[in-house]
Amino acid sequence: VGMFGLPATNKSMLAMQLAFTFFGLESNALLVDTEGGAGVHSLPKWIETLSKRYKTDVQICEVKFDYEKMTFTLDPPNPKTPTFFVVDLRLIHKILHFHGIQCHLEISEPQLKKDRKTGEVIDEEGGGRIQIRLKSFEDNIKKAPIGQLLAKYGIKYIIYDSITNPLELFVSGQLNFPGRDDAQGLWFQQIQEIAQEFNATIMGIFHNSKDPT
């Protein structure tokens, strides 16, 4: 499910509220926070308010992901249903690692223009284009860090807030739509696998000011 809207129109709030449908079915939820701060600031307040409204007791569990080791720890370490898991992943390569795609980013160097007589650099052009270089790809989503988390804790609802933010890296400075398309394609492929393998509902939040394609 994709949710589009202008800033400050309660997109995140609506997505959080929908999680309580799954809590009522004895499932857990996961927020992949790509903008930072939701798990620390807004989420605890809204969870407390909504828990009172729906007469339940939802706890928040922070997922601390080590993208170099491809492992995660939980705080608190032994969460019980119903739990809203939160992982803070603001950079696209860390998001891809969490989804089983080990990679690194490469930034192209500019072409230097030199004076024919002196050989001195007089100008430069291009450069700054970002490419995704794959190191390994886990095609079994259940073995990826996110898959291990979903399977172990019965998570059936995942919010990506937002899809737009981490992909903005590819449209700063020089336009780099091929790089963005590569990253987005790999990410979305794994999201589709999650939906199919775990029978999970995915909520992706998009900024209305950006073209989601």
Side-chain angles (χ1 to χ4, degrees):
V1 179
M3 188 186 300
F4 302 83
L6 296 171
T9 52
N10 295 322
K11 299 185 298 297
S12 299
M13 174 57 199
L14 178 57
M16 291 178 196
Q17 187 170 350
L18 290 172
F20 279 76
T21 300
F22 293 87
F23 296 147
L25 298 173
E26 298 185 349
S27 298
N28 292 317
L30 168 66
L31 168 63
V32 180
D33 181 9
T34 70
E35 301 193 346
V40 177
H41 302 294
S42 61
L43 186 61
K45 173 185 175 182
W46 287 116
I47 292 301
E48 180 182 357
T49 301
L50 291 169
S51 291
K52 291 179 180 178
R53 177 179 176 181
Y54 291 100
K55 295 180 174 58
T56 185
D57 185 18
V58 176
Q59 67 172 320
I60 296 174
C61 179
E62 181 183 2
V63 182
K64 300 178 180 179
F65 178 58
D66 186 331
Y67 81 98
E68 293 180 335
K69 296 180 180 179
M70 298 288 282
T71 59
F72 60 84
T73 57
L74 303 179
D75 183 20
N78 299 302
K80 297 180 180 179
T81 302
T83 295
F84 215 135
F85 293 85
V86 183
V87 59
D88 188 332
L89 297 172
R90 310 180 197 188
L91 300 176
I92 186 62
H93 66 286
K94 293 185 178 181
I95 293 171
L96 293 176
H97 276 69
F98 191 56
H99 288 75
I101 305 164
Q102 290 186 282
C103 62
H104 66 271
L105 303 181
E106 286 189 356
I107 304 176
S108 64
E109 296 290 335
Q111 284 189 322
L112 303 180
K113 291 186 177 182
K114 298 183 178 181
D115 185 280
R116 292 183 179 180
K117 295 181 179 180
T118 65
E120 294 181 356
V121 176
I122 57 175
D123 197 6
E124 60 181 43
E125 63 180 19
R129 297 179 68 85
I130 301 173
Q131 293 181 316
I132 297 287
R133 294 295 184 188
L134 290 181
K135 296 165 65 177
S136 67
F137 182 91
E138 179 55 72
D139 59 0
N140 183 350
I141 193 62
K142 294 181 179 180
K143 294 182 179 180
I146 189 172
Q148 295 174 36
L149 180 68
L150 301 184
K152 186 172 183 179
Y153 295 101
I155 297 170
K156 294 294 185 181
Y157 180 57
I158 303 102
I159 303 170
Y160 291 93
D161 191 3
S162 66
I163 296 288
T164 311
N165 191 62
L167 297 174
E168 289 181 348
L169 171 70
F170 297 97
V171 292
S172 59
Q174 285 218 358
L175 293 180
N176 190 23
F177 294 117
R180 184 190 70 174
D181 290 345
D182 289 342
Q184 181 174 276
L186 290 167
W187 185 11
F188 284 11
Q189 177 180 329
Q190 296 298 74
I191 289 176
Q192 289 178 329
E193 287 294 311
I194 289 170
Q196 179 176 335
E197 291 295 328
F198 294 97
N199 193 27
T201 298
I202 314 294
M203 175 66 74
I205 297 176
F206 295 82
H207 296 166
N208 197 43
S209 60
K210 298 292 183 181
D211 183 352
T213 61

